[in-house]
Amino acid sequence: AQSVTQLGSHVSVSEGALVLLRCNYSSSVPPYLFWYVQYPNQGLQLLLKYTSAATLVKGINGFEAEFKKSETSFHLTKPSAHMSDAAEYFCAVTFISGGYNKLIFGAGTRLAVHP
Amino acid sequence: EPEVTQTPSHQVTQMGQEVILRCVPISNHLYFYWYRQILGQKVEFLVSFYNNEISEKSEIFDDQFSVERPDGSNFTLKIRSTKLEDSAMYFCASSHLINTGELFFGEGSRLTVL
């Protein structure tokens, strides 16, 4: 069965520090992988996506993620956190099932950035 | 840029009442979805819809839920008799081609059941 695991429901970093949000997936077929960000009381905004091209994917707001097949991971990083990065981050995996996509979300990681 | 639009943005209803949430997917998209997010929890798959029928539904999508594409543009989620635990944010999504795997989400409709 396909699943997505995000390690750490809460991550707290100092402004300017490295951000690392972890995501592991399980899949019997090559997946497509996504990171979404959700600001308070808002919808889901796509940060970046991996769709079997380059394994290092760059997204918006300085975020990037690396697909590592051997580790079944797709961790999200940002070299230097900004206060505006405080939000909920969701890793998601989509599988082509029965001829259509089905997106499965991880439980989310709430990122806090303190001065 | 084309986007998925949802109405209403927020609806408050009494327990037992029927609610219809509306979505206008991106015009050339063929696959439609509803997801639910209870406050503070993960985003959960409810149902997928293609070619005017349900492709897959989750355990959450019981008999009180239904979806419909009444015309060429709208995609609706109906909750027949709302319960307190139906209070959540409901997201509509659509996709066109399956080979990119990407779903495009609306801003969500927040449902509050009192």
Side-chain angles (χ1 to χ4, degrees):
Chain A
Q2 297 90 353
S3 65
V4 183
T5 303
Q6 291 184 242
L7 286 175
S9 57
H10 290 82
V11 170
S12 182
V13 301
S14 300
E15 191 174 19
L18 171 71
V19 175
L20 171 60
L21 305 182
R22 299 178 186 274
C23 173
N24 288 87
Y25 68 92
S26 67
S27 172
S28 57
V29 297
Y32 298 125
L33 297 154
F34 304 84
W35 277 97
Y36 286 86
V37 61
Q38 185 179 36
Y39 297 100
N41 299 312
Q42 294 191 24
L44 297 164
Q45 181 180 5
L46 181 67
L47 266 181
L48 49 79
K49 62 183 178 182
Y50 167 77
T51 56
S52 73
T55 56
L56 182 63
V57 181
K58 295 187 184 299
I60 62 172
N61 302 338
F63 284 93
E64 62 182 37
E66 186 172 8
F67 171 66
K68 291 187 177 180
K69 184 178 179 180
S70 61
E71 299 177 8
T72 60
S73 69
F74 191 57
H75 302 329
L76 181 71
T77 60
K78 182 173 180 177
S80 177
H82 192 271
M83 298 294 287
S84 60
D85 294 327
E88 185 94 20
Y89 291 81
F90 292 96
C91 180
V93 183
T94 190
F95 307 94
I96 297 177
S97 169
Y100 67 95
N101 301 322
K102 180 180 175 181
L103 194 64
I104 297 175
F105 285 85
T109 298
R110 183 169 297 279
L111 175 66
V113 182
H114 52 86
Chain B
E1 185 176 331
E3 59 182 19
V4 177
T5 56
Q6 292 186 239
T7 55
S9 57
H10 189 190
Q11 182 160 354
V12 181
T13 189
Q14 296 291 323
M15 192 169 56
Q17 295 296 303
E18 176 182 284
V19 162
I20 297 176
L21 305 178
R22 291 183 167 78
C23 170
V24 179
I26 295 173
S27 62
N28 63 343
H29 284 191
L30 304 174
Y31 305 86
F32 313 113
Y33 308 80
W34 283 100
Y35 284 78
R36 180 182 82 173
Q37 184 184 32
I38 294 172
L39 186 64
Q41 297 187 26
K42 69 189 292 186
V43 181
E44 301 171 292
F45 170 78
L46 286 179
V47 66
S48 58
F49 190 87
Y50 170 71
N51 199 26
N52 283 319
E53 61 183 23
I54 290 174
S55 307
E56 183 175 350
K57 58 184 180 180
S58 71
E59 293 175 352
I60 304 167
F61 196 88
D62 60 23
D63 291 344
Q64 69 161 344
F65 290 92
S66 62
V67 289
E68 194 177 34
R69 189 160 161 81
D71 52 44
S73 60
N74 289 286
F75 178 52
T76 62
L77 174 69
K78 182 192 290 186
I79 309 174
R80 212 177 324 278
S81 177
T82 50
K83 302 188 283 254
L84 295 176
E85 54 265 36
D86 294 327
S87 295
M89 181 75 92
Y90 289 82
F91 292 104
C92 175
S94 68
S95 68
H96 175 43
L97 299 172
I98 64 172
N99 59 350
T100 64
E102 184 174 355
L103 273 61
F104 294 80
F105 284 87
E107 287 291 306
S109 293
R110 180 170 298 282
L111 175 65
T112 302
V113 182
L114 302 176

